[in-house]
Amino acid sequence: MATESPSPVAMDLDPETTNDGDASMADAENRATPDDGPAPSMDDDDAPDSATPTDEISTSDEDSGMDKEYHDDDDDGDAPSDPSAALLEALTHKNAGNAHFAANSHIEASRCYRKGISLLKKLNLANSGDEQTKSLLVSLNTNLSMVCYKQQKYKLSKDAASKALEIEEENVKALFRRALALRALGEDDAAMVDLKRGYKVDPGNVSVKKEIASIKKARETQRANEKQRLQKAFSSGSLLYGDKEEEEKRAQKRREKEKKEQEEREKEEKEKRKKEWEDDCVEKLKDGKEVLSFDQWEEERKRKEKEEREEKERVRKAKEKKRREEQKAKKKQKEESDSEEELTEKELALLRGYKKTSDGRTTSYFTREQTEKEKELIGCIQPKRLESAATDDSCEVPSSSAVGSVWNQAGTTWEERDTTEWCKSCLKECLLESTAVHTPESGDVTYVARVKDVESLTGDASVAIAGGKKRYIYDFHTDVKYEILNEKVSKCIAAGSLKLPDINSAHTAEEELEVDILKWKKAPKDETGAADVEVCRSLLVGEVRKSVLQFVERFNANF
């Protein structure tokens, strides 16, 4: 009689991977923080001990990348209908995430935990699942919180821990990890509330007690620093008076330096003049003239310089006097010329403020008639309703040179334009162009993989304008059907589907785009060529990623 295999729901959902039940809490002490407080680690029963807080972390922004919404956006359409199978598959994802975490592959670990959560969330609607489902969900969420913390995505870490607390309000590990995330976000008071809750549940938890002590120590250090700063500010010779004294000292040094430099310049100039006097004496001795002493020579030099300055000033004043006389003469001549002119009848009428139009009407002086040429140049100036340009759903829409619409040319006012239909059409067109070719080393056959159809394309897209800049926003989910042909016989030998669950504007690199390869719908029959067919399929996955990036380039270029 065959023995019945154990049901997945009866299995231990948290296999023991550590030798010490408190190992993860002890590992937390290795985290480097400003006050050397404890750090998070994986659950005791969830991750290997080889994962340390010094692993390389991702520095991407909390609102971008693969974890924009840590699990709510995952597609659970392929979740098994049998709860036991769902639990077993979620446990598999959890173990895979632990392995990735141990290998410092945090993105892959995060993805595995999110997939496990996605499989179980329908089994625990309104927290109505059984104890094993709740236990595994709590474990997955706390592990996800740990991974997000290691990636410095503190808000996502806090949200993941909060999800675990929604299932089990007094879970110490979830409270501890949310407290660490809150502290990293600068919310020490909220972190202290969670730590006190954890301490109330488990008073002997060493990590919780150390984190509470760390926060208290940080607060005491902050208060001591503030007190010292205030004492320094109000003490004698403090900041209130020290700045003024320092400024006076700097000014005194500056004056002494300037005085010294002035004395040095005067000394150099005097030495230079003495050299000139010596040269002058030599010249006079050659000519047999009387030689002057240095003091007499200095007085003679000063007298000549004074005469030169007086002569220059006299010339300047003479030129200024002549210029004023010329301006006065011109003004007088203009006044005499104006007084001799007589006003015509038309000029007198204009002075009275009235004039005749071309049709004989008497009107105000300020009324101006347009000439026929001006009317032709201006055209019709009757107000018209502004109509937005019609959009074309094709992928060849020419881009506009203006940033905003007709009423928002500069793009300084917030404006958002819905481009969902255009983007769906363009994305589908790009995906249908995806083709991959693989020729084995034997060279006797060539495999061609191509996208046959794009199904279930859902999502939306828009172009937002603010501050003179455009922001391209899109979020799509789709399934892609493909087939692999034997080019030699033009026959389909394999077929299947690819799932693209998360095509959004946060993914800017090819390797970040998630593509799930589903089971064969038509598996290759030839076992010898099955490996080459899988290689061809892998090449097609790469081409699909490139097609998505091509869609992004078209989107940016056409709007």
Side-chain angles (χ1 to χ4, degrees):
M1 182 176 179
T3 59
E4 184 178 356
S5 60
S7 172
V9 296
M11 297 177 63
D12 183 6
L13 297 180
D14 290 319
E16 193 70 16
T17 58
T18 60
N19 297 326
D20 187 358
D22 294 330
S24 65
M25 292 302 180
D27 290 342
E29 299 177 15
N30 296 325
R31 178 171 63 90
T33 63
D35 53 8
D36 295 331
S41 64
M42 299 301 293
D43 276 351
D44 302 341
D45 302 329
D46 295 341
D49 290 336
S50 60
T52 63
T54 57
D55 299 332
E56 294 295 327
I57 59 175
S58 169
T59 57
S60 59
D61 189 82
E62 294 183 12
D63 296 329
S64 63
M66 298 297 296
D67 296 324
K68 183 177 181 181
E69 292 294 340
Y70 67 93
H71 64 74
D72 290 341
D73 288 343
D74 288 336
D75 188 0
D76 57 357
D78 295 333
S81 57
D82 183 12
S84 300
L87 282 168
L88 185 59
E89 188 171 348
L91 179 60
T92 302
H93 285 306
K94 172 189 157 185
N95 293 334
N98 293 346
H100 286 303
F101 181 85
N104 295 337
S105 181
H106 298 141
I107 292 178
E108 294 298 330
S110 172
R111 185 177 297 165
C112 289
Y113 294 140
R114 289 189 292 111
K115 286 182 178 179
I117 293 169
S118 179
L119 288 169
L120 297 180
K121 61 185 180 182
K122 284 191 175 181
L123 302 180
N124 192 47
L125 295 176
N127 206 17
S128 60
D130 57 27
E131 291 302 319
Q132 289 180 319
T133 301
K134 292 180 180 180
S135 177
L136 185 53
L137 270 174
V138 169
S139 178
L140 287 167
N141 276 294
T142 52
N143 282 5
L144 180 60
S145 175
M146 174 61 192
V147 173
C148 293
Y149 186 92
K150 295 289 293 269
Q151 293 176 294
Q152 294 184 350
K153 300 178 181 178
Y154 303 122
K155 185 178 184 303
L156 296 178
S157 176
K158 182 193 75 172
D159 294 342
S162 297
K163 287 288 183 180
L165 291 171
E166 290 177 5
I167 301 170
E168 186 179 343
E169 294 182 354
E170 303 301 329
N171 186 280
V172 178
K173 292 178 183 177
L175 289 168
F176 178 70
R177 287 174 185 164
R178 187 169 73 173
L180 293 175
L182 287 168
R183 192 176 180 190
L185 292 170
E187 303 178 24
D188 286 4
D189 293 340
M192 181 62 82
V193 172
D194 281 348
L195 289 170
K196 287 182 177 180
R197 285 177 59 189
Y199 180 77
K200 185 176 181 181
V201 176
D202 185 8
N205 193 300
V206 177
S207 296
V208 172
K209 290 192 289 186
K210 285 187 176 181
E211 192 69 15
I212 291 174
S214 175
I215 294 178
K216 289 182 177 179
K217 182 179 178 182
R219 288 176 176 176
E220 291 174 358
T221 303
Q222 183 179 2
R223 284 195 294 268
N225 292 338
E226 183 69 15
K227 182 178 180 180
Q228 184 178 3
R229 187 183 67 82
L230 292 174
Q231 287 177 347
K232 184 178 179 181
F234 290 98
S235 62
S236 59
S238 63
L239 296 175
L240 298 177
Y241 309 101
D243 291 346
K244 186 175 180 180
E245 293 178 357
E246 290 295 328
E247 182 62 27
E248 291 177 355
K249 290 180 180 179
R250 287 195 294 268
Q252 180 65 24
K253 290 181 180 180
R254 186 168 57 251
R255 288 193 295 268
E256 292 175 356
K257 183 179 179 181
E258 291 175 354
K259 183 179 179 181
K260 186 176 180 181
E261 290 175 351
Q262 179 65 22
E263 291 175 352
E264 290 177 355
R265 283 195 300 268
E266 291 178 355
K267 184 178 180 181
E268 290 176 359
E269 290 175 358
K270 188 174 182 179
E271 292 294 331
K272 186 178 179 180
R273 292 197 300 272
K274 279 188 176 182
K275 191 174 183 306
E276 292 178 359
W277 168 71
E278 291 174 355
D279 294 339
D280 185 62
C281 289
V282 172
E283 292 295 330
K284 287 184 177 180
L285 288 173
K286 287 182 180 180
D287 297 339
K289 296 180 180 179
E290 183 182 358
V291 178
L292 300 177
S293 65
F294 178 72
D295 294 336
Q296 293 174 338
W297 184 83
E298 278 277 273
E299 291 178 0
E300 182 68 17
R301 182 185 62 81
K302 291 179 180 179
R303 182 184 62 78
K304 289 181 179 180
E305 289 179 353
K306 183 178 179 181
E307 290 177 355
E308 289 177 0
R309 288 196 300 269
E310 290 176 351
E311 179 63 20
K312 288 181 180 179
E313 183 67 16
R314 186 186 63 79
V315 172
R316 187 190 66 80
K317 289 182 178 180
K319 288 182 178 180
E320 182 67 21
K321 182 178 179 181
K322 184 179 180 181
R323 186 182 63 81
R324 287 197 298 268
E325 289 176 352
E326 288 177 353
Q327 288 181 346
K328 188 175 180 180
K330 287 180 180 179
K331 184 177 180 180
K332 185 177 180 181
Q333 183 180 1
K334 185 178 180 181
E335 291 175 353
E336 291 175 354
S337 176
D338 292 341
S339 63
E340 294 175 355
E341 293 180 357
E342 293 182 1
L343 297 176
T344 63
E345 187 65 26
K346 185 177 181 180
E347 290 172 339
L348 290 173
L350 291 175
L351 288 174
R352 288 194 294 268
Y354 299 98
K355 65 179 180 180
K356 292 283 186 180
T357 60
S358 58
D359 56 359
R361 293 182 297 108
T362 301
T363 183
S364 168
Y365 166 77
F366 298 101
T367 301
R368 180 178 178 275
E369 288 186 283
Q370 294 178 351
T371 63
E372 293 299 326
K373 186 176 181 180
E374 289 174 339
K375 291 179 180 179
E376 182 180 353
L377 290 173
I378 295 174
C380 181
I381 60 174
Q382 182 179 0
K384 295 181 180 179
R385 180 182 179 86
L386 290 175
E387 298 291 346
S388 60
T391 58
D392 188 358
D393 289 337
S394 68
C395 289
E396 303 299 329
V397 177
S399 61
S400 173
S401 60
V403 176
S405 60
V406 177
W407 55 270
N408 189 23
Q409 295 290 317
T412 55
T413 303
W414 170 267
E415 178 183 355
E416 186 171 5
R417 178 182 177 186
D418 185 16
T419 59
T420 301
E421 295 302 323
W422 183 92
C423 287
K424 283 185 177 180
S425 175
C426 186
L427 178 58
K428 186 175 181 180
E429 180 180 334
C430 292
L431 290 173
L432 289 173
E433 293 175 355
S434 303
T435 305
V437 179
H438 173 63
T439 303
E441 294 181 357
S442 60
D444 56 345
V445 65
T446 299
Y447 298 101
V448 178
R450 65 184 183 185
V451 174
K452 184 178 179 182
D453 193 12
V454 179
E455 295 182 340
S456 305
L457 179 55
T458 59
D460 50 40
S462 62
V463 178
I465 301 170
K469 295 182 180 180
K470 288 185 178 181
R471 294 173 175 84
Y472 301 90
I473 307 167
Y474 57 91
D475 188 6
F476 291 108
H477 316 276
T478 186
D479 294 338
V480 174
K481 287 188 175 182
Y482 66 91
E483 61 180 4
I484 301 177
L485 306 177
N486 186 332
E487 192 177 40
K488 186 176 181 180
V489 297
S490 300
K491 181 180 178 182
C492 177
I493 61 174
S497 297
L498 302 175
K499 181 180 290 294
L500 284 75
D502 203 7
I503 304 174
N504 61 53
S505 51
H507 298 163
T508 58
E510 181 178 339
E511 62 273 8
E512 291 181 349
L513 180 63
E514 183 177 357
V515 180
D516 295 335
I517 302 176
L518 305 182
K519 295 180 180 179
W520 290 107
K521 291 189 177 179
K522 181 180 180 181
K525 296 180 180 179
D526 185 5
E527 295 182 359
T528 59
D532 293 324
V533 171
E534 290 184 359
V535 171
C536 190
R537 179 175 64 178
S538 299
L539 294 175
L540 180 63
V541 170
E543 293 299 323
V544 168
R545 286 192 173 102
K546 292 178 181 179
S547 297
V548 173
L549 297 182
Q550 183 182 4
F551 152 72
V552 175
E553 292 176 359
R554 291 188 185 181
F555 186 20
N556 293 348
N558 293 332
F559 290 95

